[in-house]
Amino acid sequence: MADSSSTYQAGGSGDQPKKSIIPGFGRFKVALSTVLTMEIIMQLAYIFEYPNCLIDGLRKADTTTSCALLMVSGMEERGQIAPHDISQLLDSLKEIGNPGTASTVQELFLKHTDIPIEEEGAHSQGVIRERGHSEAENEATVDRDHDEPSQKTVGAPASSMSTMSPTSSSLMPIAPELMGHLMNSMTPPGVNIAGSNNVVNISCHVQSTGSVQLATSSSQLDPVPSPGPVPTPDHVPPPNQESDVPDTMSTFIQELKETGKALYDKIQPIPYIKDELDSVDKVFIEVGLERRVGKDSWKKLGSYHDIFPKEKGNPRIQIIEGDPGYGKSTLALQMVYDWCNEVSGSPFSGPDILICLNLRQLKGITSIAQAIKQCSLPFDSKLKLLDVEQLISKSNIWVIFDAYDEYPDQHNKVNFVMQMLKGKIGQHVNILLTTRSSCIPPALGARTGRIRLTGFDNAAQERYIRKVVTGDDEVVKKVLKHLNINPTLGVLCRAPLFSVMYAHLTHKGSMLHEISSVTGFFGHMISCFLSHTQNKLSGADESPENLQTHADTHAALDKLAFEALTSKMQQLVWDRTFFVGELGEVFYKLYVDVGILVEEKETHIPAPGKVPQHKTVVRFYHKLFGEWYAAYHLIECVKSRSYILPENINLYDLKFLFMFACGLDQPGGSQVIKLLGERKDGAESVVLCAPQLKEWSHDIQTTVRRIVSSGIDIYISDSRLLQQSTIQLLELASQHKIPISQVMLLESFSSVDPDSLPLVLRSGLCLPPLSTLKELVIWTEPGREVTVDEWTGILNYTNQCQLLKKLKFYWCLLPWMDSFPASLDNVEVVWAPWFCEYYSLRSGRWQNEDSGEILTRGAYDDLVTKFRERCSDTPWQERRRAERE
């Protein structure tokens, strides 16, 4: 006998429910459950963003059949399959690499329903759902005659109900933990199984054929209420809704703003100063921002307001990248402040909803709605998960995913964040994702925007000091003075984190301005924190001597930090109980008082209707502090000459760990550099770490010699810290008489200082003459025209490089010179104004390398015209034309 799947159409109070028969859909669901394996079910559950409680229920099912039936029920409930359309399921099966299964499912659907996928879809049909549970509600054929016995069978095909019995030997029990979900998805309208006045007995079985049977018996069943007006396809009320949509939205926004205020209202510039918390708007200073245009070019932005361009067609997903301490999280909190306070003129006050989620807290969370419910709403929120799903599906919503580099699930290929970034789900959501430059999400589409933070310039540093630290002009000048005369300090303080620490501590009398290395700066900063806390706690139960002992003895913390940061899945948060057990109560309390360790409350909602679980977790104030203590353990590790760095370590991500280690211990640092130099990806780390050592051993010189023998590049995109370290390495190599085969300036050249002769980079740093440099290559930004003064300055610079044999210029226009200095007679000079056009300087004249022709003044003038035409759309030529106008 044919089975059917039905949808109810409400009639008058005395009418029998009318059924819209969709033949064969029930049989299709049973057949579908037979082709779903556990692996496919789990992959689909992640792609469909099923909540943890449902995924756990799937995993705990007694049999694969039970799991598959629950999965089928869940897909129907959430709209992934519908009586007229299963295209979403088919697309998802193909996405997870199961086209064969997709083809089988499509054949089963056609076989049982006679509906080709292309002919009709659930969205175009406008089928009325009986309970409005989601886009595709579970449809059941139910006998609603109250004269029948109270034993009812729900969810079985109508034609077979008379032959089915909940105690039949052909039935097998289904897992008890799946009962709740099956009840919710299969209970007919009007049957109250949770009422306080009813005694309800429920039995749930799976037939040997795979179909589901849910039987309920009750001493009293609530009467079927009189149906209200027929809902239209345009408005299907969400399930379990306790109030109308506007009121629910109002509650949602209010609760989000309350949570947002709790985030942005407790900014702590210095870890140990906990009684002077500020709102983010009181301390926020705009950092430098650049937008990537093209493959390798970046364009400066005027403000963070320009992150989302106003023009239509621009990317709705923006990646905000920056090195550690460059203010990514502070910028995210300022955006939250703008939305919560409806700041005039800020684009971030415009969306209906703006949510900031710290990805560090989202381990195991499988959907954006679950993340919002668990992390962005109050503990006692009345909004249910399905309310959140409904609200965000129909809103202009912006989501900030903060700290992707700390996201525990980033290596899970089907995590919901990557699904949103790839546009698989949540296509209506504008996304901002912050991350370290070393941890950009893979395989992003061409429509993803890239923004990078370039840090504080001198003006921003001064604005911060005047706004937050002091308005005293003399003090401001004193604090800023050392940033200009100490190059290491100047580079470090481009990072807002370091700049803020420096400003506050210097104002309080610290001698940070005398520091000449990254390690020295950070070590002195830590000492200031500990000293201040010890003074504050003097007279307490612990004596200053005991506190100092705890401060100096941190091997357990070092080991925890190192193992956490160098594991394949970095751990950045620990359970407080575990941490105290490892470190001891006194040590732990001291480091929390200092502010190096920070406690946070974490909430986990195990399942709908369950009591939320609260616990205290602990993390470092900033990941850099974890790298500082991990460096101590690395030094201990390398004392064993057999120690090998784990292959999975991201050297650039943990560059400060290695820099700190080299600065903390001379012998250990030498061994660290030796290990880095042996890795294929270790050259850049050696460049960063070698200047931290006070002396270079023979092994260090050998490692550096190998690196500089293959050439050194300085890119415009390199951070100031990397550029500064590269310059320091080159200077030290030159001082140790180590030949430098080549230095290539890739769009990083700016000008020449006419007094001291160094080459000035566009970052403001200076490359001094290098006595052992053999070849200098200047690859300018496209379209650049080198002036006579710049050309003369470059030639004077090369005169100071005694071993220089080659000088090359690419992608620029050199000035016409009637004669060249004799010092160039022994130097090979090559000029390529564009690709496939090369000139060599021979006997004081430019000669075309292909034709051998000498470049005359007339030919040079033609070349200038041709060059400007070819490069007319480059930023440099656009600026030249604007200046002439």
Side-chain angles (χ1 to χ4, degrees), residues 774-777 803-808 826-829:
K774 293 184 176 181
E775 179 178 343
L776 175 65
V777 180
L803 298 184
L804 191 75
K805 296 300 180 183
K806 294 181 180 180
L807 176 62
K808 298 179 180 179
N826 297 321
V827 178
E828 178 186 345
V829 184

Side-chain angles (χ1 to χ4, degrees), residues 396-445:
N396 174 20
I397 177 172
W398 291 16
V399 174
I400 303 170
F401 289 125
D402 188 29
Y404 179 80
D405 52 290
E406 300 181 10
Y407 182 32
D409 291 345
Q410 62 180 267
H411 300 293
N412 180 353
K413 295 181 180 180
V414 292
N415 70 74
F416 82 93
V417 175
M418 278 306 304
Q419 294 296 312
M420 292 184 70
L421 291 174
K422 291 181 178 181
K424 306 287 185 177
I425 56 177
Q427 294 89 346
H428 68 293
V429 180
N430 281 337
I431 298 174
L432 280 162
L433 182 140
T434 73
T435 185
R436 286 191 179 193
S437 302
S438 58
C439 190
I440 304 298
L444 296 177

Side-chain angles (χ1 to χ4, degrees), residues 68-187:
L69 288 167
L70 178 57
M71 186 66 189
V72 171
S73 176
M75 288 191 292
E76 186 178 16
E77 177 183 323
R78 290 169 176 260
Q80 282 98 28
I81 60 172
H84 295 85
D85 184 24
I86 60 167
S87 57
Q88 187 175 356
L89 171 60
L90 297 178
D91 291 343
S92 299
L93 286 169
K94 294 172 185 176
E95 180 182 338
I96 63 176
N98 282 278
T101 304
S103 177
T104 300
V105 171
Q106 186 168 357
E107 292 174 2
L108 290 172
F109 186 72
L110 179 61
K111 174 183 176 181
H112 291 292
T113 66
D114 293 327
I115 301 177
I117 301 299
E118 298 79 10
E119 290 184 3
E120 292 182 319
H123 297 293
S124 62
Q125 290 299 303
V127 179
I128 299 174
R129 309 303 184 204
E130 59 174 328
R131 287 180 290 158
H133 200 64
S134 62
E135 287 185 3
E137 181 56 59
N138 225 18
E139 294 119 357
T141 303
V142 181
D143 182 358
R144 300 171 70 180
D145 187 348
H146 294 286
D147 294 330
E148 292 293 322
S150 60
Q151 179 80 16
K152 292 178 179 280
T153 302
V154 183
S159 59
S160 61
M161 291 179 75
S162 61
T163 64
M164 294 174 60
S165 167
T167 59
S168 170
S169 60
S170 64
L171 302 179
M172 55 186 175
I174 195 167
E177 55 268 24
L178 309 184
M179 186 76 69
H181 179 76
L182 287 170
M183 286 163 50
N184 289 335
S185 63
M186 303 178 70
T187 304

Side-chain angles (χ1 to χ4, degrees), residues 105 126 152 190 192 271 273 361 446 457 509 532 559 574 649 705 767:
V105 171
K152 292 178 179 280
N192 184 346
I273 305 179
Q361 301 172 344
D457 57 15
H532 180 276
K559 186 173 185 291
W574 295 265
I649 289 182
R705 187 185 302 272
L767 177 66

Side-chain angles (χ1 to χ4, degrees), residues 641-660:
R641 294 289 175 170
S642 61
Y643 179 78
I644 300 175
L645 290 172
E647 284 296 324
N648 63 281
I649 289 182
N650 184 329
L651 298 182
Y652 187 74
D653 180 50
L654 297 177
K655 60 179 177 285
F656 280 97
L657 189 161
F658 297 107
M659 293 170 71
F660 291 152

Side-chain angles (χ1 to χ4, degrees), residues 352-637:
D352 298 335
I353 299 169
L354 185 143
I355 297 165
C356 182
L357 294 167
N358 192 310
L359 290 175
R360 182 181 64 244
Q361 301 172 344
L362 302 191
K363 182 177 181 179
I365 292 181
T366 58
S367 74
I368 180 65
Q370 184 187 5
I372 294 170
K373 171 66 176 170
Q374 184 161 318
C375 302
S376 294
L377 296 180
F379 298 153
D380 57 350
S381 174
K382 295 181 180 179
L383 295 174
K384 297 180 174 64
L385 180 62
L386 289 172
D387 292 326
V388 177
E389 290 177 347
Q390 175 80 5
L391 290 166
I392 65 176
S393 67
K394 297 183 178 181
S395 304
N396 174 20
I397 177 172
W398 291 16
V399 174
I400 303 170
F401 289 125
D402 188 29
Y404 179 80
D405 52 290
E406 300 181 10
Y407 182 32
D409 291 345
Q410 62 180 267
H411 300 293
N412 180 353
K413 295 181 180 180
V414 292
N415 70 74
F416 82 93
V417 175
M418 278 306 304
Q419 294 296 312
M420 292 184 70
L421 291 174
K422 291 181 178 181
K424 306 287 185 177
I425 56 177
Q427 294 89 346
H428 68 293
V429 180
N430 281 337
I431 298 174
L432 280 162
L433 182 140
T434 73
T435 185
R436 286 191 179 193
S437 302
S438 58
C439 190
I440 304 298
L444 296 177
R447 299 294 298 166
T448 301
R450 291 274 293 275
I451 306 290
R452 71 178 181 187
L453 278 62
T454 58
F456 276 178
D457 57 15
N458 292 339
Q461 289 166 344
E462 181 175 350
R463 287 198 300 273
Y464 180 84
I465 296 170
R466 292 187 181 279
K467 181 177 181 178
V468 182
V469 182
T470 178
D472 188 310
D473 289 342
E474 292 301 317
V475 176
V476 172
K477 290 179 182 178
K478 179 182 177 181
V479 173
L480 291 173
K481 174 184 176 181
H482 301 293
L483 295 178
N484 297 322
I485 63 178
N486 185 331
T488 299
L489 197 59
V491 169
L492 274 177
C493 289
R494 287 296 291 247
L497 175 70
F498 291 130
S499 184
V500 168
M501 300 283 186
Y502 167 78
H504 284 276
L505 294 176
T506 301
H507 179 53
K508 294 180 180 293
S510 170
M511 302 300 288
L512 273 172
H513 61 273
E514 298 179 357
I515 302 303
S516 59
S517 70
V518 173
T519 308
F521 181 96
F522 212 87
H524 189 80
M525 186 175 68
I526 294 285
S527 296
C528 290
F529 295 169
L530 290 167
S531 175
H532 180 276
T533 304
Q534 288 165 2
N535 292 336
K536 183 178 179 181
L537 296 177
S538 61
D541 294 338
E542 287 284 332
S543 66
E545 292 77 14
N546 286 339
L547 291 173
Q548 186 62 49
T549 300
H550 289 301
D552 295 338
T553 309
H554 42 74
L557 180 62
D558 304 340
K559 186 173 185 291
L560 274 175
F562 182 80
E563 291 177 348
L565 290 172
T566 58
S567 63
K568 185 176 181 180
M569 302 284 288
Q570 285 189 355
Q571 182 178 359
L572 301 169
V573 178
W574 295 265
D575 182 81
R576 183 191 184 280
T577 303
F578 166 79
F579 223 69
V580 172
E582 292 292 313
L583 305 180
E585 185 70 45
V586 176
F587 179 96
Y588 176 82
K589 186 177 185 303
L590 172 63
Y591 274 69
V592 170
D593 287 337
V594 171
I596 292 173
L597 297 178
V598 177
E599 292 184 340
E600 291 180 341
K601 298 294 183 183
E602 188 176 273
T603 302
H604 176 63
I605 303 174
K610 299 292 185 180
V611 178
Q613 300 172 355
H614 309 297
K615 68 176 181 179
T616 301
V617 296
V618 61
R619 63 175 176 82
F620 284 102
Y621 173 82
H622 192 281
K623 190 176 177 181
L624 284 173
F625 287 80
E627 295 185 53
W628 172 260
Y629 287 99
Y632 282 95
H633 187 72
L634 176 59
I635 293 298
E636 293 300 313
C637 290

